[in-house]
Amino acid sequence: MQSSWGAGATPPSQDSIVHLLHRFTYGPTSELISEVRGMGEEAWFEKQLNHLTIDDKEVDKYLSNWEIFNYIHKDMNFLWPLAEAEGDMAKGQIFNSNHMSGRVLHLYTLIRQAHSKRQIFEMMVEFWHDHFNITTLGDDTKDGRLDWHTNDWNKRVIREYALSNFEDLLYATATHPAMIVYLDGELSTKELPNENYGRELLELHTVTPKSGYTQADILDAAKLFSGLRVKWPERWYQRGPRPFPQGKTFIDVAPFATMLHGERQNFGTFKIMGWQRTVTSVDQVLSAIKSLFNYLAFHPETAKTIALKLGRRFVEDNPSQKFINDIATSYTASKGEIKATLRAVYKHPDFKSAYGAKLKRPGEDYISVARVLDVWPNFTRVQKWQGINKEFSFPAIIGNEVASMGHAPLSWPFPDGYPDTATNWVNASKQVVRWNAYGNFVQGNIWNEPAWDKLLPTKESNLDKQIDQVALLLLSTQLGSSDKNSVRNAVSKVFGANPDFTSNYRNITALIARLIFQLPVWSLR
């Protein structure tokens, strides 16, 4: 996305620190800009790559205050007994535990994005969620079986490997129950191996169609993965009624609740593109899968796939071929190390010069408001969620609000993940949704009300000066003349040409912020 600016419009800041924070965080804040200025851009970037050394106690403490967050990141073996007990008591449907935990995961994700000090890590968590997309859209997905696993997927796959090694991440995604359920591994049989995972492995996760793979490659991949299935708790089968797996050969696939079902597994010689392996027994299956992943992870087309997607995320919608080649080379040289590849992106000249070349996706736009206003979800205005034999306070409207903008976290319904180019998100009808959402922000209706006295250096009584300092807070630059006139005129229509700040300070300031959030420059990364 390339931007052009008319006379008097506000262009994006040309400050390299602001540019860095626009791309590698969910939005600059005054505090973070000062931090990076003090320690230097490269030192900050390197610190972010070592995310486990960053103290995240502020967001951890906030999450610990609310009991409902104790029920996320749990797997089937934790959630099922709770749901079963609840179903027995209510003599009704078993579903509240997994459904509730999935919805709370959305809120947890937004809070982490808004307030975690580990911003590059959170950005990469979202990146890999899109790359290996598994929806947490609702309990009806895959006949209600998927949500039992998506919280565990978020923690033990995406968050565990987000800044590690692509080959390790690829293996974890393939062997986790969430992927097996989502791409119909549970439906696969020896006679009719389901092709969904084999197809997405090649089409989306690694080499993409440009590599020239064939239907025969997809079918052999499906056969190789035919024995993988979820290791459900025994009571899950008894409660069903569901058919218990038939056979005698069940091998645990650590570290997840996954197993190889020997009687369902195909054997023989598998040929997938330039890779070949003969498997004659069930104990050879996992080593064959690992061998295939090693081949795919370091295939030149996979390197280009990762480079292209990182370019779209952090540089521009259509990265140059030179950028793709350079980053692919760094990826290959580092043997798929994600940190090293990100470092190459940050240091690339195309990144350094790409000011204003990316549009915020709606969820990023929403969270960047929370960040710059330094607000947290308002738990005083909540619904009561009846689940797990008790009621929980839960500001569900936050997730609903982002969903209304088309970008609820972890909720894209298809395997390809949320799109990452401006043409997919420019939509005039969403402007009213944004106006209402950001009105809720500045008025403290859903997130806590902004503390303007702390955010702004002075308590101004002059409209022009107040517009200037609010603009500097939100945009890290001053408004262009026409944008400033537009904001001034809109405020004057509501509060008069010389508004009374003594009695209306918060309302005037909130309106100024709300108007700036509607300017084109705000929507840029």
Side-chain angles (χ1 to χ4, degrees), residues 35-142:
E35 177 186 331
V36 179
R37 233 179 266 291
M39 68 188 303
E41 296 173 42
E42 188 165 332
W44 177 84
F45 192 88
E46 289 299 323
K47 180 180 177 181
Q48 284 286 309
L49 292 183
N50 294 304
H51 68 288
L52 293 178
T53 66
I54 299 173
D55 189 341
D56 226 9
K57 62 184 178 184
E58 183 181 24
V59 69
D60 290 340
K61 184 175 185 299
Y62 176 86
L63 292 167
S64 70
N65 288 335
W66 310 105
E67 188 178 2
I68 198 165
F69 292 114
N70 293 333
Y71 293 91
I72 64 168
H73 289 154
K74 303 300 185 182
D75 68 6
M76 180 75 171
N77 292 297
F78 176 90
L79 294 171
W80 179 257
L82 295 176
E84 190 174 38
E86 185 175 57
D88 287 339
M89 292 177 65
K91 300 188 185 319
Q93 183 183 17
I94 295 176
F95 99 112
N96 273 344
S97 298
N98 64 319
H99 184 69
M100 180 189 74
S101 63
R103 302 295 75 74
V104 176
L105 177 60
H106 294 179
L107 180 60
Y108 172 93
T109 300
L110 293 170
I111 292 170
R112 285 282 183 194
Q113 290 172 350
H115 289 291
S116 174
K117 304 297 185 186
R118 302 167 179 175
Q119 282 287 293
I120 289 182
F121 172 72
E122 293 297 331
M123 294 285 287
M124 292 307 295
V125 165
E126 184 179 30
F127 178 86
W128 293 122
H129 265 297
D130 281 337
H131 186 77
F132 297 102
N133 186 59
I134 292 178
T135 185
T136 59
L137 187 60
D139 190 74
D140 291 337
T141 309
K142 302 298 176 183

Side-chain angles (χ1 to χ4, degrees), residues 154-165:
N154 180 67
K155 179 181 181 181
R156 299 178 69 198
V157 176
I158 302 300
R159 289 184 171 273
E160 178 71 21
Y161 293 97
L163 285 174
S164 62
N165 178 279

Side-chain angles (χ1 to χ4, degrees), residues 245-251 260-263:
Q246 298 301 304
K248 298 181 179 179
T249 310
F250 303 101
I251 298 176
L260 274 171
H261 185 178
E263 284 72 21

